[in-house]
Structures are given as structure tokens and as C-alpha cells.
Amino acid sequence: MHIELHFIFILILLLRMAIAAAFVVSASIITERSGPVIGALVATLPVSAGPSYVFLALDHDAAFIAQGALSSLPVNAATIFMCLAYVVLAQRRSLAVSCGSAVAIWIVLASIIRQFDWPLTAGLAVNLVAFGICIPLLARYRHVKMPLVTRRWYDIPMRATLVATLVAIVVSTSGWVGPRISGIIALYPVVFTSIMVILHPRIGGPPTAAVLANSAWGLLGFGMAIAVMHVAVASCGSAIGLCLALGTCVAWNLTLWGLGRRAMHKAWQAP
């Protein structure tokens, strides 16, 4: 009986990994084909954190998910600083230096974040400060022509492996690391890391950096979605909270897309 339960657990885990990987691979392909602006909006949808939280919700109660969201909220601020570090360094530095430094910054900030209990107001405040600093600094790097991208055979397997590994870690360890660490791990920016690793050697640092620079406003909306998830899960349950969080992300990014198209239309009509 014990062996059968263990086998069933492994099968369910593999299925969850495959579902999450499919989401990230689809989003990455859209990113490559749509240019830095649309790519950034897709990249800031919860294509890696979303499946992780859905699977956590299947295994834990609403209180666990709500607490995890409180830890995820300040980690979103760490992600925008990671993006800023990569964008600045990628203008002149190699992939190893740019991506390595950016990931190191995220790990250091996440390690600091895990030392504290974060109430909702503090998480929102740190996001407002972080994005208030980073969005103006990223603005000058947003407008870069995106070269044609030729996909290589290992691109999709690598992306799938990255996100599947993340989901496996989150789901397998959540029972003993608790909601705080689970919320931090769930928000590791798998999509941004894969964009750096795959695109930088192929099209260069500045065009790759443009995708991440354009992601700043979308990432701000992602932070708001985490806050919505915490409040909604605590009051209405995990299913409603996760749906409202997804709806917040989609509505925010569609609004950004609409505003961008309107600004472009006005620019074309200007004499």
C-alpha cells in the first residue's frame, strides 16, 4: 500500500510538472514571436507562479495560501531589482556576468525577505518603493529593435525543465518548509531567467534587456494580483482567490496593451 501511494504521488507530481511546463513554453514562444512589448506582457502573466500556487492550493488549506502570498508580495519587489540589474549590465556585459549578477541579487534579496513576517501593508509599501525607483531607470532601455529569433532544438526542453523543476520543488517541499518559504520559491522568475539565457547569446544583450525593461509595468500589476490573492483567499477561499488574482493580471496587462496601442496610434497621426 505504501509503495502504491508513493507511485501515485510521483505520477501526480509528474503531471503537475508537465502542465506547468506547457504554460511556460507556450508563453515563451509567444514572447519570441511578438516583440519586446507584447513579449513582456506575456512574460508577466503568472505562467510559472500560477501553476505552483494552484498545486499548492490542492494540497493545503486557504490559510496556507494566504500566508504564502504575503511572502510572495515582497519577493515581487526583488524581481524588479533583478530585472534592473540585468538590463543595465546586459548593455555591455556577457550573459554570465549579467544573468549571474541578476540572479545573485534576487537570491540575496529573497534571503533577506524570508527573515521577516510581512504584513500586507509592508509588502505593498516595498513594492511601491521598488517600482518607483526601477520604472524610471528602466524607461531608457525599452525601445530597441528586436532581431529575428531562430529557435534551437534545446530551447523548449530547457524552459520546460526549468519550470517543471520549480513546480517539483514547491510541491514536494511545501509540507515541511511551510507557507513562507513556499511563497518565496513559487515566485522565482523562471520566465525572466529563461529569456535571459536563451535570447542573450542569440540576439545580444540590449534587445534581450528591452523585453525585461518593458516588463516593469506588467510586473507591477502582478504584485497587485498577489495582494488581491491574499485578501480574496483569506475571505473567499483558494479557488476564488486564485481566479481573482489571474483576472487582475489579465485585466492589467490588457489595459497596458490598450494604452500602448492608443499611444502608438496617436504617434502615427501626429504631423
Side-chain angles (χ1 to χ4, degrees), residues 94-204:
S94 66
L95 169 64
V97 172
S98 304
C99 184
S101 300
V103 171
I105 287 172
W106 189 92
I107 292 173
V108 169
L109 292 176
S111 299
I112 295 172
I113 288 167
R114 71 176 291 269
Q115 304 299 321
F116 304 94
D117 288 320
W118 291 85
L120 180 61
T121 52
L124 290 171
V126 76
N127 271 266
L128 289 176
V129 171
F131 282 88
I133 293 171
C134 294
I135 286 178
L137 295 176
L138 289 168
R140 59 177 294 197
Y141 302 105
R142 293 173 55 192
H143 305 291
V144 177
K145 185 177 180 181
M146 180 66 69
L148 181 65
V149 179
T150 303
R151 191 180 304 114
R152 296 177 183 173
W153 68 268
Y154 55 80
D155 288 355
I156 290 179
M158 185 175 76
R159 294 173 206 175
T161 301
L162 280 172
V163 70
T165 301
L166 175 68
V167 170
I169 293 172
V170 170
V171 173
S172 301
T173 63
S174 62
W176 58 275
V177 301
R180 182 190 299 179
I181 305 300
S182 297
I184 291 173
I185 297 174
L187 242 70
Y188 178 77
V190 169
V191 175
F192 287 158
T193 303
S194 67
I195 288 172
M196 297 177 201
V197 172
I198 291 170
L199 294 185
H200 189 127
R202 199 167 311 170
I203 64 177

Side-chain angles (χ1 to χ4, degrees), residues 39-52:
L41 294 179
V42 174
T44 51
L45 291 172
V47 290
S48 63
S52 294

Side-chain angles (χ1 to χ4, degrees), residues 187-253:
L187 242 70
Y188 178 77
V190 169
V191 175
F192 287 158
T193 303
S194 67
I195 288 172
M196 297 177 201
V197 172
I198 291 170
L199 294 185
H200 189 127
R202 199 167 311 170
I203 64 177
T208 307
V211 177
L212 270 67
N214 277 283
S215 71
W217 284 103
L219 202 57
L220 177 61
F222 183 71
M224 290 189 293
I226 296 171
V228 168
M229 180 174 71
H230 166 72
V231 174
V233 166
S235 58
C236 303
S238 296
I240 293 176
L242 291 171
C243 290
L244 289 176
L246 176 60
T248 301
C249 273
V250 173
W252 176 264
N253 282 12

